[in-house]
Amino acid sequence: MTGPVVTGVDGQACGTDALRLGRWLADSLGGPLIVAVVHAAPAALGSGRVDAEWVADRHRAAEAVLNGARESLKDAPGEAEYRAVASTSAAHGLHDLAEEVDASIIVVGSKLSGAKNRLFAGSTAERLLAGSQWPIAVAPQEMTASPGDHGRVGVAYVDTPDGRAALEEGAEIARRIGASLRLYTVVADQDSTLPFLVGADAEHAFLETARETYEESLRRAAATVSGVEVDWRLLTGNVVDALTELDEVDVLCCGSRGYGPARRVLLGGVSTRLLRGARSPIIVVPRSG
């Protein structure tokens, strides 16, 4: 995880949040920061001069956004490289850049139509997350806490290949920044588990068994982590609601989903909904293998 941290900005307010998160991740992971703006590439079929003039205008606009990013980071420690990338879309451009520089992670901001201090993934984030081979970090709008304030990295953990990939990523980040690591698993509450016809006694027994199974899974997972202080929490309730309300971690690492190509992010139900309302920055981790 020593490759560059590629941070995409587009001149909107959410880009400031992405810059804050990207700067912190670059400093924490010990890699360079690359700030990128993607602008339109020349069309394969264009009208020559008109197309060239339009592309030149888009390039000038991209440089203006980069100048704004420089201004935002002028007082921040550490160096940054600024790139204007020509591509057919922001997601493709950031993917291509990440591949070119062998990035460790791609960082973007949230869509502006979500609630303040919450994630609400826009089209660029969602397209990046559709098959990325790199972890994708998404910053909430108008983050109230600065990255690093909590000194804790969170992992949404289940004992699956995706959950173990998230644990590996979270543990590595925690080690590099000297933070503690906290694992979270959510067990459903009594009202949302089994149909009422099953009976209260059977439902209670089911919940107790599930809780014991999850607790043992968390203990085993925590025991595999070395070089960092680690603990775990078993939360009760709706899994998405419980995880989106977390505001005690600097970032929350989660897997994508339990199927699909190896080493690719392919969003599942939980990870998709987390990106619609989380209070903390989210890092969605590709499947290992």
Side-chain angles (χ1 to χ4, degrees):
M1 294 186 66
T2 57
V5 173
V6 172
T7 301
V9 294
D10 60 4
Q12 298 187 65
C14 58
T16 301
D17 300 313
L19 286 172
R20 290 171 61 195
L21 182 59
R23 178 75 274 170
W24 176 73
L25 283 170
D27 294 342
S28 300
L29 300 176
L33 173 66
I34 298 179
V35 180
V37 176
V38 181
H39 63 87
L45 297 174
S47 58
R49 178 181 174 184
V50 172
D51 183 62
E53 290 177 349
W54 182 77
V55 170
D57 178 73
R58 294 300 84 203
H59 182 76
R60 285 191 294 270
E63 289 296 335
V65 172
L66 289 177
N67 288 334
R70 290 187 182 93
E71 182 67 19
S72 295
L73 292 175
K74 67 177 182 180
D75 296 324
E79 298 294 324
E81 179 183 350
Y82 297 85
R83 297 264 199 114
V85 179
S87 184
T88 54
S89 75
H92 286 154
L94 292 174
H95 269 143
D96 291 345
L97 177 59
E99 183 173 18
E100 174 191 337
V101 302
D102 193 18
S104 60
I105 192 168
I106 301 174
V107 183
V108 291
S110 298
K111 189 175 179 179
L112 290 176
S113 59
K116 289 184 178 180
N117 309 319
R118 298 276 183 163
L119 286 177
F120 193 89
S123 58
T124 297
E126 290 170 338
R127 289 172 184 169
L128 277 170
L129 288 160
S132 173
Q133 61 183 294
W134 300 276
I136 306 296
V138 186
Q141 296 181 53
E142 301 182 17
M143 293 185 293
T144 54
S146 296
D149 281 356
H150 299 291
R152 180 184 296 117
V153 174
V155 175
Y157 182 77
V158 287
D159 190 14
T160 64
D162 292 70
R164 292 189 286 273
L167 175 59
E168 182 180 348
E169 185 87 7
E172 179 67 12
I173 293 173
R175 277 191 289 266
R176 287 184 177 273
I177 68 177
S180 63
L181 183 70
R182 178 165 291 171
L183 281 56
Y184 298 92
T185 294
V186 183
V187 61
D189 55 29
Q190 189 165 343
D191 293 335
S192 58
T193 51
L194 299 176
F196 72 94
L197 291 176
V198 171
D201 291 342
E203 185 174 12
H204 180 74
F206 173 83
L207 286 171
E208 285 302 310
T209 299
R211 180 175 292 275
E212 291 170 3
T213 300
Y214 285 135
E215 287 180 348
E216 180 58 29
S217 176
L218 286 165
R219 288 192 191 96
R220 288 198 305 266
T224 66
V225 179
S226 61
V228 62
E229 179 184 339
V230 57
D231 64 4
W232 53 268
R233 296 285 187 273
L234 186 61
L235 308 177
T236 300
N238 176 277
V239 60
V240 175
D241 291 344
L243 293 176
T244 56
E245 290 302 318
L246 288 178
D247 58 1
E248 60 187 26
V249 297
D250 294 312
V251 292
L252 179 67
C253 298
C254 67
S256 47
R257 66 186 183 190
Y259 55 94
R263 300 195 183 281
R264 290 291 187 274
V265 167
L266 287 170
L267 289 185
V270 171
S271 50
T272 298
R273 286 177 286 164
L274 272 178
L275 287 169
R276 299 282 181 186
R279 290 181 179 273
S280 301
I282 298 291
I283 296 178
V284 184
V285 181
R287 293 187 65 203
S288 59

